[in-house]
Amino acid sequence: MPTRRELANAIRALSMDAVQKANSGHPGAPMGMADIAEVLWNDHMKHNPSNPGWADRDRFVLSNGHGSMLIYSLLHLTGYDLSMEDIKNFRQLHSKTPGHPEYGYAPGVETTTGPLGQGITNAVGMALAERTLAAQFNRDGHNIVDHYTYVFLGDGCMMEGISHEACSLAGTWGLGKLIAFWDDNNISIDGHTDTWFGDDTPMRFEAYGWHVIRDVDGHDAEAVDKAIREAKAVNDKPTLICCKTTIGYGAPNLCGSHDCHGAPLGEDEIKATRENLGWKYDPFVIPDEIYAGWDAKDKGSKAEAEWNEKFAAYKAAYPDLAAEFERRMNGELPASWNETVAAFVKATDEKAEGPATRKASQNAITAYAAVLPEFLGGSADLTPSNLTAWPDSKQITNTVADGNYISYGVREFGMSAIMNGVALHGGFIPFGGTFLMFSEYARNALRMAALMKIQSIFVYTHDSIGLGEDGPTHQPIEQIPTLRMIPNMSVWRPCDAVETAVAWAAAVERKDGPSCLIFSRQNLPHQQRDAATIENIRKGGYVLRDCEGTPEAIIIATGSEVALAVGAAEALADRRIRVVSMPSVDVFEAQDEAYRESVLPSAVTARVAVEAAVPDGWYQYVGINGKVVGIRRFGESAPAGDLFKEFGFTVENVVDTVKSVL
């Protein structure tokens, strides 16, 4: 049988060879962490290469995602559907092995990593999901949810601010099945980190409430194994295993230097490394005995078969719970969903009330949560303002694990990336709220959700200068259009309670990407619609108020400005004016050409768009001869009514603008 070091050297060889062939990549981290990975994956990881989606598998996150050849090597060697040709195509167009691990490409990659700090934060979300799901479904003698989340992270992840947000929460929550391995090699891109990273990191994590295992030799398999066993014995705290490693371990001239962090070793150094490690095989050649030492298919299939037996017993004892578990893990909506939505939308329309859409959002959450136990809501310390809690919500704490609501504290970025981890784990539909302005803090997590095509729902309230007296620091101006610019991000800005109910339903039903739901602080009037018009809300843009015959002009608006558009059309009663409400531009764009033409006929060129935000995006609809009532400067501190007048958001100004294009 091969020795542990020989098994680890297979990772080193594949990593340096793939990076060299691509002439691009990061060999240092995979070579430095290979010994840790060998112990974890061969002796502790519960996974099945034949079924990467097995519900009770352990999750593994490579937070320092630049070291992607580490996870690609592990997946290939243990038997996942990742061939040697895939390894050879590292960093090439349309390969399954892109430069950073990307969710949905190689089986076994649990999340997209590379923007440092987000992997560990996703892992906190996964560990939280595991604990919450276990509390909701496990019963005495039936632990069907019982797995660990393992994370590799480096100095860069430790330096990023998001790791402070997430790891503080993980300690506060006492996530005992989260085990992180810190690759403490004292190297980042600029060189030795002594002059810019002097934290006492173990003490920092102890202050967070973590169990910390210090000074583990990351190249001593017995020491690593002992540390993992100790970590698994601690049930009430996450564990940080501090592993002292040498970056580029095995490269005789470049190890321990930033020179091997992000560049190929070079042919001469690779040859010297082979000799230094005693690796006698050609590039991309792995001998059968090494493959046999790594192969996890039989062990993984056996582990899943044992779990299947446990689940069968659980199903016999608790058939309803088992069915619900399967539904949620499959991402299926309950059978009563469509009926629930239809009834709530109808009731909302019949009430004809005009609350702030943030309040209408809370009403929708309350109605839908009654049939969606998978809702896992929260807010970044703005619950009373975002109105994201509902009467039957139950806050999760370090002692309450079976809840469905999270107070994240003032951690917008951490909240958003934790939500992504929850979504990736499965079994929940996560949503979290803050002011729209503070989507800026969370922006990269939003982008990652869109990139991964996962269902995180971002709730943003206080959507414009209508926020009022808090002033320009809190008044979003450019945020709505820039959120719309994120590929695969669905953005809804409803104008009243009915559109809000539909927007929430659309976000719940959307399984292939995230949604941003943008709501007002101030009350917005109910708009009159018939049944067909209500149905058209789901198409993102629709004719809200029409005229006889062909329109002379079209007013397009969203959110609070729809009421201004309707008021302007009423004031222009002697002209043929159509009002189009467009709560979701991306959903409207996804409709067929015939529908879009029916709403915005190309023959009608006199067009005005109205939105309290940067106007540039609306010119695709109004054309060069149309006009946009928007905002091109930051707001002011004043009551909302005064601000809307100051910035021209009045019926009178919209009327004058329409007249100017007629």
Side-chain angles (χ1 to χ4, degrees), residues 81-390:
D81 183 18
L82 196 70
S83 69
M84 187 63 81
E85 284 303 308
D86 294 321
I87 299 295
K88 290 179 180 179
N89 283 328
F90 179 55
R91 288 184 164 235
Q92 303 310 299
L93 183 64
H94 302 313
S95 76
K96 292 166 70 173
T97 50
H100 291 84
E102 292 191 37
Y103 178 72
Y105 282 63
V109 171
E110 300 283 2
T111 181
T112 300
T113 56
L116 296 178
Q118 287 197 66
I120 175 62
T121 309
N122 294 163
V124 171
M126 293 175 187
L128 176 70
E130 189 277 341
R131 192 187 74 157
T132 306
L133 204 67
Q136 292 179 358
F137 283 97
N138 287 353
R139 296 294 183 265
D140 288 344
H142 296 276
N143 290 335
I144 60 163
V145 182
D146 185 12
H147 53 267
Y148 286 87
T149 302
Y150 297 105
V151 196
F152 282 7
L153 68 159
D155 293 329
C157 290
M158 290 295 194
M159 287 183 247
E160 284 286 0
I162 190 174
S163 72
H164 297 253
E165 296 182 25
C167 294
S168 170
L169 272 173
T172 299
W173 288 332
L175 299 179
K177 288 185 177 176
L178 174 63
I179 300 176
F181 299 79
W182 171 33
D183 183 27
D184 181 13
N185 60 25
N186 198 37
I187 292 290
S188 63
I189 291 175
D190 280 4
H192 289 273
T193 61
D194 297 349
T195 57
W196 58 84
F197 184 44
D199 305 12
D200 186 335
T201 298
M203 187 175 291
R204 167 187 152 193
F205 273 74
E206 287 172 348
Y208 288 155
W210 286 55
H211 176 66
V212 177
I213 304 173
R214 299 170 181 248
D215 299 320
V216 175
D217 182 348
H219 303 299
D220 181 339
E222 290 187 8
V224 172
D225 181 69
K226 180 182 177 183
I228 297 173
R229 293 182 187 280
E230 179 182 332
K232 291 168 82 171
V234 176
N235 299 317
D236 60 345
K237 296 180 180 181
T239 295
L240 178 69
I241 302 176
C242 305
C243 297
K244 290 288 184 181
T245 65
T246 300
I247 191 171
Y249 183 93
N253 302 303
L254 296 180
C255 71
S257 164
H258 69 283
D259 291 331
C260 69
H261 167 83
L265 298 182
E267 296 292 353
D268 291 342
E269 185 71 0
I270 286 177
K271 181 179 179 182
T273 302
R274 278 184 154 76
E275 293 174 358
N276 189 43
L277 294 174
W279 189 259
K280 304 173 183 179
Y281 314 104
D282 290 337
F284 303 108
V285 173
I286 304 293
D288 291 343
E289 60 269 22
I290 297 292
Y291 274 127
W294 274 106
D295 190 2
K297 285 184 177 179
D298 288 345
K299 184 167 63 175
S301 294
K302 181 181 178 183
E304 184 173 355
E306 291 172 353
W307 182 83
N308 287 337
E309 290 181 8
K310 289 170 59 177
F311 189 77
Y314 176 78
K315 195 170 187 175
Y318 303 100
D320 292 343
L321 274 176
E324 182 68 3
F325 179 82
E326 291 177 316
R327 178 189 72 78
R328 285 174 55 174
M329 292 306 293
N330 289 332
E332 299 169 356
L333 290 172
S336 61
W337 171 250
N338 290 336
E339 180 183 348
T340 299
V341 172
F344 178 67
V345 171
K346 185 173 185 291
T348 302
D349 182 58
E350 289 173 349
K351 285 181 180 178
E353 295 176 343
T357 49
R358 60 173 174 153
K359 177 59 181 176
S361 167
Q362 185 180 47
N363 294 340
I365 292 169
T366 301
Y368 297 156
V371 296
L372 292 175
E374 58 263 49
F375 259 178
L376 188 60
S379 173
D381 202 48
L382 285 169
T383 296
S385 295
N386 298 148
L387 302 180
T388 38
W390 63 101

Side-chain angles (χ1 to χ4, degrees), residues 2 4 20 64 77 92 98-99 101 280 303 348 362 442 465 605 634:
R4 284 190 179 277
Q20 187 67 29
N64 46 341
L77 291 167
Q92 303 310 299
K280 304 173 183 179
T348 302
Q362 185 180 47
I465 55 173
T605 58
F634 295 120

Side-chain angles (χ1 to χ4, degrees), residues 268-592:
D268 291 342
E269 185 71 0
I270 286 177
K271 181 179 179 182
T273 302
R274 278 184 154 76
E275 293 174 358
N276 189 43
L277 294 174
W279 189 259
K280 304 173 183 179
Y281 314 104
D282 290 337
F284 303 108
V285 173
I286 304 293
D288 291 343
E289 60 269 22
I290 297 292
Y291 274 127
W294 274 106
D295 190 2
K297 285 184 177 179
D298 288 345
K299 184 167 63 175
S301 294
K302 181 181 178 183
E304 184 173 355
E306 291 172 353
W307 182 83
N308 287 337
E309 290 181 8
K310 289 170 59 177
F311 189 77
Y314 176 78
K315 195 170 187 175
Y318 303 100
D320 292 343
L321 274 176
E324 182 68 3
F325 179 82
E326 291 177 316
R327 178 189 72 78
R328 285 174 55 174
M329 292 306 293
N330 289 332
E332 299 169 356
L333 290 172
S336 61
W337 171 250
N338 290 336
E339 180 183 348
T340 299
V341 172
F344 178 67
V345 171
K346 185 173 185 291
T348 302
D349 182 58
E350 289 173 349
K351 285 181 180 178
E353 295 176 343
T357 49
R358 60 173 174 153
K359 177 59 181 176
S361 167
Q362 185 180 47
N363 294 340
I365 292 169
T366 301
Y368 297 156
V371 296
L372 292 175
E374 58 263 49
F375 259 178
L376 188 60
S379 173
D381 202 48
L382 285 169
T383 296
S385 295
N386 298 148
L387 302 180
T388 38
W390 63 101
D392 292 331
S393 60
K394 182 179 181 181
Q395 186 175 337
I396 291 172
T397 68
N398 64 328
T399 58
V400 178
D402 63 344
N404 53 13
Y405 194 82
I406 301 169
S407 290
Y408 287 96
V410 187
R411 299 180 176 95
E412 295 87 358
F413 194 5
M415 172 183 73
S416 303
I418 286 171
M419 286 165 53
N420 289 347
V422 170
L424 287 159
H425 179 279
F428 296 98
I429 299 175
F431 66 86
T434 185
F435 288 172
L436 176 58
M437 185 66 247
F438 303 131
S439 65
E440 292 297 326
Y441 283 125
R443 184 58 66 104
N444 200 254
L446 271 65
R447 186 176 187 274
M448 294 294 280
L451 180 64
M452 291 189 281
K453 303 177 182 177
I454 58 174
Q455 189 183 23
S456 293
I457 301 176
F458 304 103
V459 179
Y460 296 127
T461 68
H462 298 63
D463 68 347
S464 68
I465 55 173
L467 178 132
E469 291 86 347
D470 279 343
T473 60
H474 285 54
Q475 291 168 3
I477 302 300
E478 72 276 24
Q479 283 64 40
I480 297 171
T482 56
L483 287 172
R484 290 184 183 129
M485 292 170 64
I486 301 174
N488 197 42
M489 178 66 73
S490 192
V491 179
W492 287 82
R493 187 180 183 231
C495 75
D496 66 0
V498 176
E499 283 191 359
T500 298
V502 173
W504 259 109
V508 168
E509 292 166 15
R510 186 174 195 239
K511 300 297 182 181
D512 59 354
S515 300
C516 291
L517 305 181
I518 299 174
F519 301 122
S520 70
R521 177 195 184 194
Q522 71 276 22
N523 292 347
L524 302 181
H526 172 76
Q527 300 296 331
Q528 296 295 324
R529 303 173 182 86
D530 58 23
T533 306
I534 290 174
E535 186 61 31
N536 282 338
I537 296 172
R538 282 186 169 270
K539 297 178 180 177
Y542 64 101
V543 178
L544 174 63
R545 184 188 186 278
D546 213 356
C547 56
E548 294 290 335
T550 302
E552 296 177 72
I554 299 174
I555 309 174
I556 310 166
T558 79
S560 50
E561 289 71 67
V562 168
L564 297 178
V566 171
E570 291 172 349
L572 291 163
D574 59 330
R575 308 301 294 263
R576 298 190 306 278
I577 308 297
R578 171 179 289 185
V579 175
V580 170
S581 178
M582 196 175 290
S584 180
V585 173
D586 60 279
V587 173
F588 179 72
E589 284 296 311
Q591 305 306 310
D592 60 43

